[in-house]
Amino acid sequence: MVNYEFNRESRLLTPGHFQSVFSKPLRFGSSHITILVSPNIDERNRLGLAIAKKRVKLAVQRNRIKRQIRESFRLNQHDLPNIDMVVMVKSGTDQLENAEIRKQLEKIWRKIIQRHNS
């Protein structure tokens, strides 16, 4: 059965978790979103969000972007390999519509899956 939950185990929680991704990442990106990926030994993939205040000024917008990312990850996590990933955004992402953010994420998930399968 495919599990669509996004719980505590699905998240990078400690600075150590984030550090392991930042140390030797594979980069995947689009015009507004960059995802750093590093393999993990767990049986699942984990998501971390690093949405800088410098890039997206308003908390409302940062939270909206985070919600879109989490939801997209939740729906696609069963297709992704066992990896830890940190999602970062570039300036101007707060100008995008939700649908556009989702579209860019979908494209990046496909790239990650393709790269892993080849």
Side-chain angles (χ1 to χ4, degrees):
M1 193 191 105
V2 177
N3 183 352
Y4 285 106
E5 63 187 4
F6 181 75
N7 54 22
R8 202 172 163 79
E9 284 80 57
S10 309
R11 296 176 16 221
L12 295 178
L13 296 168
T14 67
H17 291 163
F18 277 88
Q19 206 46 57
S20 69
V21 177
F22 284 124
S23 61
K24 283 196 204 71
L26 273 174
R27 286 174 176 271
F28 294 90
S30 68
S31 55
H32 286 88
I33 299 167
T34 303
I35 300 183
L36 305 179
V37 169
S38 102
N40 75 10
I41 53 219
D42 294 340
E43 289 300 300
R44 63 182 324 142
N45 36 40
R46 297 184 305 181
L47 175 72
L49 299 171
I51 313 296
K53 201 184 274 188
K54 181 179 178 181
R55 304 273 172 249
V56 183
K57 296 278 185 283
L58 300 176
V60 184
Q61 295 292 3
R62 284 196 302 278
N63 293 336
R64 177 180 68 91
I65 292 166
K66 287 179 192 174
R67 276 197 305 276
Q68 295 303 319
I69 294 168
R70 277 192 216 106
E71 183 63 7
S72 177
F73 172 76
R74 187 180 74 78
L75 297 174
N76 290 286
Q77 64 185 344
H78 55 275
D79 295 329
L80 295 166
N82 290 339
I83 50 176
D84 286 344
M85 58 193 114
V86 174
V87 179
M88 301 187 308
V89 300
K90 299 175 184 145
S91 300
T93 308
D94 52 349
Q95 307 300 317
L96 297 178
E97 297 288 325
N98 290 349
E100 180 57 33
I101 293 173
R102 282 196 302 271
K103 203 163 78 186
Q104 289 196 16
L105 285 165
E106 293 289 330
K107 221 178 265 174
I108 300 172
W109 300 141
R110 278 200 302 275
K111 281 185 202 165
I112 293 173
I113 293 162
Q114 234 169 13
R115 178 75 165 275
H116 189 262
N117 290 340
S118 59

